[in-house]
Every structure is written in structure tokens, then in C-alpha cells.
Amino acid sequence: MGEHISFEQFINVFKILSKSTDDYLFILDLIEDHYNITDRAAEIFLFDTSDFYNASNIIKNCVYPSDRDMFNKNLELIKNGMITKHDLEYRWLNKNNHPIWISSRGQIIFNDNGKAKYLVGRISELGRKNKIDNITGLYREVRLRQDILNMDRQFSGNGFLLLIGIDNFKDINERYNREIGNETLNGLAKCIIKVTKGKARIYRMSGDEIMIFCKNLSFINDNPAAAMYTEIKAMVDEHIGERYYKLFYTISGGFVYFTEDETIDLNFIEKAEFALRLAKLNGKNMCICYDENEYNEYVYKLEIQEALRKSVENNFEGFTLYYQPIVNMKKACIYGAEALLRWKSKEFGMISPKVFIPLLEESGLIIPVGRWIIEEAMCKCMEWQKKCPYFRVNINISFVQIKKSNVISDIDLFIEKYGIKSDNILFEITESGELDSGCTTQNILESFHSRSLNLAIDDFGTGYSNLRYIKEMMFNLIKIDKAFIKGIKKSHYDYVVVKQFTELAHSLNLMVCYEGVETEEDFKCVKELKPDYIQGFYFSKPVPAKEFEEKYLGKEKIF
Ligand code: C2E
Ligand code: MG
Ligand code: MG
């Protein structure tokens, strides 16, 4: 139908339209090779006039050299009637020979013989900003965002985003240099280009990550994203082999599918990033599919972390210490209590320490909170000392406090402030691989020792159960984890381990406490093994300070 409008008539309409748009309107007569574009374009770009014949050649000269191939191919497809729509982003040269990004879109109009006659459309300037990554030659992330936003949702069909990252890329940069790092990234980009064979768009994301955007899949079966990852991996291995293993690396992948029903939006980038993060956390060199539940859990944790931060900022609002009695087995009396942190959030209610303590540790918030715990517990200890001179408060200390804060000077400060005798407090440290490394830990533990502060290994048997700890770290007390105590009645193995371990500790002059004694039956059973102390629901659950004071402080003869 458009063919019946003449070239000149189009131009007349453009003259009117161009007053109300910043875009350049153009028409290309594909048979006559005749071109016309809004006058303003000829003032800016490398054209002498706004109306000329020999169009293919003249326009080509205005195209930035490295985009010429792409431009020619697109023009070929148009002329041969292979496509009906034109949509291309590339660079034109301005009068100063500077490349300017443009978006050119248009419609192809066919004549009665079915031959492509006109290409009619508009060009908008995208600016000078380089949208191509210099290292890999791929599009950048900004472009991916644009592409997702501009995607023709109706026709996008099914597809996926697959994010590929180089494992331990930082090590490559550090061990060799940035150039080798860039070369590696470039090599990976080439492998990806080979595998995708023009069927997907590829973008360089931040750092060592490359995103593959695959759409218009007619249907999704056999997990095409995972299959693509496997193919890329094989290609990378081949590439490394060809270069005689000069530099060996592995890749991880994270992907997310979109379907006709659930169209893609910008959040999908985050989803692919989340899946890749999981692949790296799970040991790298693997590919993981995005999972909604895992993502929600992750977001929930972030929200809790945020709520924890607010509580800390609001003067530790919602935090309290509960106390659980610890029974001295020889004297059958309550000799002390373990201070246990509780947190009630305004938004989330009561949350278990098993959930929020690791989040405090991850975020570093355990440092201010830990300081608050030490002060609170010592303040209580001072009060209770007056009524009950032998009474001892156990305070849990996280490895993060030991490794990343000056916990000893905090302790010194509060001991002095509240006039605490060192024998009235004990610090519990959970056995963990995190503590194992470096001499800092050793120095700090020596500082505890030189101040005659009591130390316990907490949850013994759950972590590394490293006997070297006991020798080198100068603990006074070993708290055997409740998992063993739970198993003791049924499992001969647990029974023997606990029994032998208690004897071993005693022969080394170490005290032993059993955690998690819950029932009368438990109690009868473990009593025989002669622990020095017992702690568990059998005697009491952790309770608020006031309740502890009323029920247990100074109470003689508990059994
Ligand atoms: P933990 O230091 O080993 O504390 C003992 C845990 O065992 C407490 O859990 C206590 O409620 C529980 N428990 C005591 N007796 C029994 C029993 O008979 N049966 C069972 N099933 N459980 C019993 P809670 O309070 O949930 O604390 C969990 C962990 O969170 C603690 O284990 C500790 O690692 C950490 N935590 C708690 N408060 C603090 C704190 O103030 N600072 C630090 N750094 N960590 C803390
Ligand atoms: Mg403890
Ligand atoms: Mg414990």
C-alpha cells in the first residue's frame, strides 16, 4: 500500500512531522538507491546533503568503520526481502569524525511484485557514550537493561538469561597481572561467541561476568541454558588445552528462564546473579538454576539483617539476655548461668539465635552487639556476686569479635567498671575452623590466659574437634555438644565417645560440662559419666534475668 505513496510525498509528510520530533526521519528507495533524511542530520553527520543517490555507498562512508560489516549485512537482508523490520544500533561519524551511537528503526515497504521498495523510518541519537566494552568487544550492562526494557514482550517467546563468571578471577589478576586477566576474559568471550553462534546477545557485566540473553525459543525442553553452559565449559577447556595449560581456570554459571506467561523484567538480571552466587558458594565450576524459594529466603535474611542494624542503631532495642542455670554436679547446686542473647524484632517478632547470630556475624554487627552483651552480662554478674559470691556468668564470644575487634580491651574496661573478679566470669568460644588460622587468635587467647580469665570450648564435637585446640588454646572447660548427649541413650558410639572424652579431659585437669540434658532419663544416664557440670532443659530453659534471680540464684541443693 505504501508503495503507492511516492518518495516526494513521504518527504512532504516528514517535513511536517520533523517539527515535532528530535528524531531524524528518513526514506531509502532500495531500487533507485535514493536517500532522504531530515536536513538537520546533514548538518551533524558526514553527509554533504540531505538528499542523495548512490545511497548505499554514501551512507556506508558515514558508518563507523568497525560497524560497517553489520550495516552492510542488514542492508543486504532488507534488499533481499529477508526481513520486514529494520532495528539496528550502531555508530555514525559526525563532521569531526567522532562516532555517535544511533538507533535506527524502520519498516520495509514492498512493491506489487513483492520486491522491497522503500525503507522508511527514524533515527534517534543515543549519544557518544561507548556502549561497547573495550576488552571483550561485547555490549555493556547498560545495553542489556535497555534491551530488556525495549523488548517486544508480545513476541519475545521463551528464553533465558545465563550469567557466566570466571572462578577466582581475582587470583588470576593478582598472580599474573591485569593484562593476563583481560586476555582471559577476552578468551572466554570468544568461546561464548563461538558457542552461541549469533543465536543470543552477549554482554560484559561488571568484573569477570558475561551475560547471555537468549530469546525467541519456541519451547524450553532439556534445559537449554544448562546445555549451553556445558558447551561453553567444553570450549573453554579446549581453549586452555590449545594454549598448553598456560593458564588454567574454571567457570561457573547461573541462569533463569522466562516464558511467554512470565515476561522478563530487570529483576531477572538480579535473579541470574543470585544463581551464579549460589554456584560459587556451592564450590564453583558448576551451573545453577535460579530458585524462587532460595531467593526469597535470601531476601528474608537481608531484611532481617536490616532490622538487626536498625535495632543496633536504636540503642540495642529488642535485644535482651536470658540466663540458663549451670549445675555443679559435685555440690548439686547451681553454680552459675550462661547468658544467651534473645532478639525480638518489631517487624519479625521473636527470631531464633541460630538464625540471627550468624547474620550478626556476617554483617559485623556482632562487634557492637557483642560489646553490649559483655557489658550487660557483667553488670548482672556484679549484682549477683553480691548475693552469691561464687556465682559465675558464662558469656559467649564469637570468632568475629576475636578476629576483628579488640575484645580484650572491652573486657578489661568492663571488668574494671563493674569490679568483677575474674573467677566470676567465663568466656565460651565455639570451636570453629575460622579460629584455626593465624597467630592473632593465639595471641588473644594468651591474653585471656594471662589475665586469668576462664575459657571454655563450646559445642565440642560439632566442628573440627581438634585436640590441638585443647593443648594450645589453654581452655579450662569443655562443653560437649548436645548432639552427643542426645544420642547417648541409643548410640553406643556416642556413649563411649562422651565417656572416654570425659576421662581424657579429667586426666588433663580440664573440666567438662554436658549441654542439652533434657529429661530425667538423660540426667540419670549422664550422671554416671561424672561430668563436672550439666546444663539443660531438665533443670531449666534459659529465662529472663528477673525470673532467674527469683527461681535459681543462690538456691542450694537442686537434686
Ligand atoms: P550455645 O552457646 O551452645 O548455647 C546453648 C544453646 O543450647 C542455647 O540455645 C540453649 O537454649 C540450648 N539448650 C540448652 N539446654 C538445652 C536442652 O536441654 N535441649 C536443647 N535442645 N537445647 C538446649 P540458644 O539460646 O538458641 O542459642 C543458640 C546458640 O546461639 C548458642 O549456642 C550460641 O552459639 C549462640 N548464642 C546465643 N547467645 C549468644 C551470645 O550472647 N553471643 C554469641 N556470640 N552467641 C550466642
Ligand atoms: Mg555457649
Ligand atoms: Mg553450646
Short mmCIF file of all heavy atoms in Angstrom, two decimals, residues 321 324 338-342 352-354 357 361 366 373 396-398 401 428 430 458-459 482 515-518 535-538 542, ligand 1:
data_model
loop_
_atom_site.label_atom_id
_atom_site.label_comp_id
_atom_site.label_asym_id
_atom_site.label_seq_id
_atom_site.Cartn_x
_atom_site.Cartn_y
_atom_site.Cartn_z
N LEU A 321 19.17 -10.36 77.37
CA LEU A 321 19.90 -11.58 77.71
C LEU A 321 19.02 -12.45 78.58
O LEU A 321 18.38 -11.96 79.52
CB LEU A 321 21.19 -11.24 78.45
CG LEU A 321 22.32 -10.63 77.63
CD1 LEU A 321 23.55 -10.41 78.51
CD2 LEU A 321 22.68 -11.50 76.44
N GLN A 324 20.55 -19.27 81.58
CA GLN A 324 20.21 -20.68 81.80
C GLN A 324 21.14 -21.24 82.88
O GLN A 324 22.37 -21.08 82.79
CB GLN A 324 20.40 -21.48 80.52
CG GLN A 324 19.93 -22.92 80.67
CD GLN A 324 20.10 -23.74 79.39
OE1 GLN A 324 21.02 -23.52 78.61
NE2 GLN A 324 19.22 -24.70 79.20
N GLU A 338 24.57 -19.42 81.96
CA GLU A 338 25.07 -18.96 80.66
C GLU A 338 24.15 -17.85 80.18
O GLU A 338 22.92 -18.00 80.18
CB GLU A 338 25.07 -20.11 79.64
CG GLU A 338 25.51 -19.63 78.26
CD GLU A 338 25.70 -20.73 77.22
OE1 GLU A 338 25.43 -21.91 77.52
OE2 GLU A 338 26.13 -20.39 76.10
N ALA A 339 24.76 -16.72 79.78
CA ALA A 339 23.98 -15.62 79.22
C ALA A 339 23.72 -15.92 77.75
O ALA A 339 24.65 -16.20 77.00
CB ALA A 339 24.76 -14.32 79.37
N LEU A 340 22.44 -15.89 77.36
CA LEU A 340 22.08 -16.20 75.97
C LEU A 340 21.26 -15.07 75.38
O LEU A 340 20.28 -14.62 75.97
CB LEU A 340 21.31 -17.52 75.92
CG LEU A 340 22.17 -18.75 76.26
CD1 LEU A 340 21.30 -19.91 76.70
CD2 LEU A 340 23.04 -19.16 75.07
N LEU A 341 21.69 -14.65 74.22
CA LEU A 341 21.09 -13.48 73.60
C LEU A 341 19.73 -13.80 72.99
O LEU A 341 19.55 -14.84 72.35
CB LEU A 341 22.03 -12.95 72.50
CG LEU A 341 21.63 -11.65 71.83
CD1 LEU A 341 21.58 -10.50 72.83
CD2 LEU A 341 22.61 -11.31 70.70
N ARG A 342 18.78 -12.92 73.20
CA ARG A 342 17.46 -13.02 72.55
C ARG A 342 17.20 -11.73 71.80
O ARG A 342 17.66 -10.67 72.21
CB ARG A 342 16.36 -13.23 73.60
CG ARG A 342 16.48 -14.55 74.36
CD ARG A 342 16.20 -15.71 73.43
NE ARG A 342 16.38 -17.01 74.03
CZ ARG A 342 17.49 -17.74 73.96
NH1 ARG A 342 18.54 -17.28 73.31
NH2 ARG A 342 17.57 -18.92 74.51
N SER A 352 15.03 -16.90 66.25
CA SER A 352 15.97 -17.78 66.96
C SER A 352 17.41 -17.30 66.81
O SER A 352 17.81 -16.85 65.73
CB SER A 352 15.86 -19.20 66.39
OG SER A 352 17.02 -19.93 66.73
N PRO A 353 18.20 -17.43 67.90
CA PRO A 353 19.62 -17.05 67.80
C PRO A 353 20.35 -17.84 66.72
O PRO A 353 21.31 -17.36 66.15
CB PRO A 353 20.19 -17.39 69.17
CG PRO A 353 19.05 -17.66 70.05
CD PRO A 353 17.85 -17.92 69.23
N LYS A 354 19.86 -19.04 66.43
CA LYS A 354 20.52 -19.84 65.40
C LYS A 354 20.40 -19.15 64.04
O LYS A 354 21.20 -19.36 63.15
CB LYS A 354 19.93 -21.25 65.34
CG LYS A 354 20.41 -22.09 66.50
CD LYS A 354 19.71 -23.42 66.58
CE LYS A 354 19.63 -23.91 68.02
NZ LYS A 354 18.40 -23.55 68.72
N ILE A 357 22.21 -14.93 64.99
CA ILE A 357 23.63 -14.79 65.36
C ILE A 357 24.54 -14.88 64.11
O ILE A 357 25.40 -14.02 63.92
CB ILE A 357 24.06 -15.82 66.44
CG1 ILE A 357 23.23 -15.63 67.70
CG2 ILE A 357 25.58 -15.78 66.69
CD1 ILE A 357 23.80 -14.82 68.81
N GLU A 361 27.05 -12.03 62.69
CA GLU A 361 28.47 -12.30 62.40
C GLU A 361 28.85 -11.88 60.98
O GLU A 361 29.85 -11.22 60.77
CB GLU A 361 28.78 -13.79 62.62
CG GLU A 361 28.74 -14.16 64.09
CD GLU A 361 29.01 -15.63 64.39
OE1 GLU A 361 28.73 -16.48 63.53
OE2 GLU A 361 29.48 -15.92 65.50
N ILE A 366 27.96 -8.17 65.07
CA ILE A 366 28.24 -8.90 66.31
C ILE A 366 29.26 -8.13 67.14
O ILE A 366 29.34 -8.32 68.35
CB ILE A 366 28.74 -10.34 66.02
CG1 ILE A 366 28.72 -11.23 67.27
CG2 ILE A 366 30.13 -10.33 65.44
CD1 ILE A 366 27.40 -11.61 67.79
N ILE A 373 26.62 -7.21 74.95
CA ILE A 373 26.38 -8.44 75.71
C ILE A 373 27.36 -8.52 76.89
O ILE A 373 26.96 -8.79 78.02
CB ILE A 373 26.57 -9.69 74.81
CG1 ILE A 373 25.49 -9.75 73.73
CG2 ILE A 373 26.58 -10.97 75.65
CD1 ILE A 373 25.76 -10.77 72.63
N ASN A 396 29.10 -15.87 75.87
CA ASN A 396 29.53 -16.39 74.56
C ASN A 396 30.26 -15.31 73.77
O ASN A 396 29.81 -14.17 73.71
CB ASN A 396 28.32 -16.85 73.74
CG ASN A 396 27.71 -18.10 74.32
OD1 ASN A 396 28.26 -19.19 74.19
ND2 ASN A 396 26.57 -17.96 74.98
N ILE A 397 31.35 -15.71 73.16
CA ILE A 397 32.10 -14.76 72.32
C ILE A 397 32.24 -15.37 70.94
O ILE A 397 32.55 -16.55 70.80
CB ILE A 397 33.49 -14.52 72.91
CG1 ILE A 397 33.33 -13.86 74.26
CG2 ILE A 397 34.32 -13.66 71.97
CD1 ILE A 397 34.38 -12.89 74.59
N SER A 398 31.99 -14.54 69.94
CA SER A 398 32.08 -15.04 68.56
C SER A 398 33.51 -14.89 68.03
O SER A 398 34.23 -13.97 68.43
CB SER A 398 31.11 -14.24 67.70
OG SER A 398 31.52 -14.26 66.36
N GLN A 401 34.37 -11.44 66.89
CA GLN A 401 34.83 -10.48 67.91
C GLN A 401 36.31 -10.68 68.17
O GLN A 401 37.05 -9.72 68.38
CB GLN A 401 34.06 -10.71 69.23
CG GLN A 401 32.65 -10.20 69.21
CD GLN A 401 31.91 -10.67 70.44
OE1 GLN A 401 31.38 -11.78 70.48
NE2 GLN A 401 31.88 -9.83 71.47
N GLU A 428 32.83 -18.36 76.61
CA GLU A 428 32.65 -19.55 75.78
C GLU A 428 32.96 -19.20 74.33
O GLU A 428 32.43 -18.23 73.80
CB GLU A 428 31.20 -20.06 75.87
CG GLU A 428 30.80 -20.46 77.26
CD GLU A 428 29.44 -21.18 77.28
OE1 GLU A 428 28.86 -21.41 76.20
OE2 GLU A 428 28.97 -21.48 78.39
N THR A 430 32.99 -20.94 70.52
CA THR A 430 32.61 -22.13 69.76
C THR A 430 33.77 -22.60 68.91
O THR A 430 34.44 -21.80 68.26
CB THR A 430 31.39 -21.84 68.87
OG1 THR A 430 30.33 -21.47 69.72
CG2 THR A 430 30.98 -23.05 68.06
N ASP A 458 33.06 -24.30 73.32
CA ASP A 458 31.62 -24.56 73.25
C ASP A 458 31.32 -25.57 72.15
O ASP A 458 32.10 -25.67 71.18
CB ASP A 458 30.92 -23.23 72.94
CG ASP A 458 29.49 -23.21 73.41
OD1 ASP A 458 29.00 -24.25 73.87
OD2 ASP A 458 28.86 -22.13 73.31
N ASP A 459 30.25 -26.28 72.29
CA ASP A 459 29.78 -27.20 71.23
C ASP A 459 30.85 -28.17 70.78
O ASP A 459 30.96 -28.48 69.58
CB ASP A 459 29.27 -26.42 70.00
CG ASP A 459 28.19 -25.44 70.36
OD1 ASP A 459 27.57 -25.61 71.43
OD2 ASP A 459 27.95 -24.50 69.58
N LYS A 482 25.28 -30.82 72.60
CA LYS A 482 24.04 -31.55 72.93
C LYS A 482 23.74 -32.69 71.97
O LYS A 482 23.05 -33.63 72.33
CB LYS A 482 22.84 -30.61 73.06
CG LYS A 482 22.68 -29.56 72.01
CD LYS A 482 21.51 -28.67 72.38
CE LYS A 482 21.41 -27.45 71.50
NZ LYS A 482 22.50 -26.48 71.69
N GLU A 515 25.99 -30.36 77.65
CA GLU A 515 24.89 -29.49 77.25
C GLU A 515 23.71 -30.35 76.81
O GLU A 515 23.91 -31.47 76.35
CB GLU A 515 25.29 -28.65 76.04
CG GLU A 515 26.47 -27.74 76.24
CD GLU A 515 26.72 -26.89 75.00
OE1 GLU A 515 27.00 -27.44 73.93
OE2 GLU A 515 26.62 -25.68 75.12
N GLY A 516 22.52 -29.80 76.94
CA GLY A 516 21.35 -30.45 76.35
C GLY A 516 20.80 -31.65 77.10
O GLY A 516 20.23 -32.55 76.49
N VAL A 517 20.95 -31.64 78.42
CA VAL A 517 20.32 -32.70 79.21
C VAL A 517 18.85 -32.29 79.40
O VAL A 517 18.56 -31.30 80.05
CB VAL A 517 21.04 -32.86 80.57
CG1 VAL A 517 20.30 -33.85 81.45
CG2 VAL A 517 22.48 -33.28 80.33
N GLU A 518 17.97 -33.08 78.80
CA GLU A 518 16.57 -32.61 78.72
C GLU A 518 15.63 -33.32 79.69
O GLU A 518 14.70 -32.75 80.21
CB GLU A 518 16.05 -32.78 77.29
CG GLU A 518 16.64 -31.78 76.34
CD GLU A 518 16.03 -31.82 74.95
OE1 GLU A 518 15.16 -32.67 74.69
OE2 GLU A 518 16.45 -31.00 74.12
N GLN A 535 24.09 -28.74 81.98
CA GLN A 535 23.23 -27.62 81.59
C GLN A 535 22.16 -28.21 80.69
O GLN A 535 22.47 -29.03 79.82
CB GLN A 535 24.07 -26.60 80.81
CG GLN A 535 23.35 -25.36 80.38
CD GLN A 535 24.29 -24.41 79.60
OE1 GLN A 535 25.51 -24.61 79.58
NE2 GLN A 535 23.72 -23.42 78.97
N GLY A 536 20.91 -27.84 80.90
CA GLY A 536 19.88 -28.38 80.01
C GLY A 536 18.48 -28.08 80.48
O GLY A 536 18.27 -27.60 81.60
N PHE A 537 17.53 -28.36 79.59
CA PHE A 537 16.12 -28.07 79.90
C PHE A 537 15.63 -28.87 81.12
O PHE A 537 14.64 -28.52 81.73
CB PHE A 537 15.23 -28.39 78.70
CG PHE A 537 15.48 -27.50 77.50
CD1 PHE A 537 14.92 -27.80 76.26
CD2 PHE A 537 16.27 -26.36 77.60
CE1 PHE A 537 15.13 -26.98 75.16
CE2 PHE A 537 16.50 -25.54 76.50
CZ PHE A 537 15.93 -25.85 75.27
N TYR A 538 16.33 -29.97 81.43
CA TYR A 538 15.94 -30.76 82.60
C TYR A 538 15.89 -29.87 83.84
O TYR A 538 14.97 -29.98 84.67
CB TYR A 538 16.93 -31.92 82.79
CG TYR A 538 16.66 -32.72 84.04
CD1 TYR A 538 15.44 -33.38 84.23
CD2 TYR A 538 17.63 -32.82 85.05
CE1 TYR A 538 15.20 -34.10 85.38
CE2 TYR A 538 17.40 -33.55 86.20
CZ TYR A 538 16.17 -34.18 86.35
OH TYR A 538 15.92 -34.90 87.49
N PRO A 542 16.51 -21.38 79.25
CA PRO A 542 17.00 -20.02 79.52
C PRO A 542 15.82 -19.13 79.89
O PRO A 542 14.76 -19.23 79.27
CB PRO A 542 17.62 -19.59 78.18
CG PRO A 542 17.88 -20.86 77.44
CD PRO A 542 16.82 -21.81 77.86
P1 C2E B 1 25.32 -22.33 72.85
O1 C2E B 1 26.27 -21.29 73.31
O2 C2E B 1 25.81 -23.72 72.75
O3 C2E B 1 24.09 -22.24 73.82
C1 C2E B 1 23.37 -23.33 74.25
C2 C2E B 1 22.15 -23.48 73.43
O4 C2E B 1 21.53 -24.71 73.73
C3 C2E B 1 21.10 -22.42 73.74
O5 C2E B 1 20.42 -22.18 72.54
C4 C2E B 1 20.21 -23.13 74.71
O6 C2E B 1 18.90 -22.59 74.75
C5 C2E B 1 20.21 -24.51 74.14
N1 C2E B 1 19.90 -25.51 75.12
C6 C2E B 1 20.23 -25.52 76.43
N2 C2E B 1 19.77 -26.64 77.01
C7 C2E B 1 19.14 -27.35 76.06
C8 C2E B 1 18.45 -28.61 76.06
O7 C2E B 1 18.32 -29.31 77.05
N3 C2E B 1 17.92 -29.03 74.88
C9 C2E B 1 18.04 -28.30 73.77
N4 C2E B 1 17.51 -28.76 72.65
N5 C2E B 1 18.68 -27.10 73.73
C10 C2E B 1 19.22 -26.64 74.88
P2 C2E B 1 20.13 -20.74 72.01
O8 C2E B 1 19.89 -19.81 73.13
O9 C2E B 1 19.10 -20.90 70.95
O10 C2E B 1 21.48 -20.30 71.35
C11 C2E B 1 21.99 -20.95 70.25
C12 C2E B 1 23.39 -20.54 70.00
O11 C2E B 1 23.46 -19.18 69.62
C13 C2E B 1 24.29 -20.64 71.20
O12 C2E B 1 24.71 -21.94 71.42
C14 C2E B 1 25.41 -19.73 70.80
O13 C2E B 1 26.28 -20.37 69.92
C15 C2E B 1 24.67 -18.65 70.07
N6 C2E B 1 24.45 -17.57 71.04
C16 C2E B 1 23.44 -17.41 71.91
N7 C2E B 1 23.63 -16.29 72.63
C17 C2E B 1 24.80 -15.76 72.21
C18 C2E B 1 25.57 -14.60 72.59
O14 C2E B 1 25.24 -13.86 73.51
N8 C2E B 1 26.73 -14.36 71.91
C19 C2E B 1 27.16 -15.19 70.91
N9 C2E B 1 28.30 -14.89 70.30
N10 C2E B 1 26.49 -16.29 70.56
C20 C2E B 1 25.32 -16.57 71.20
#
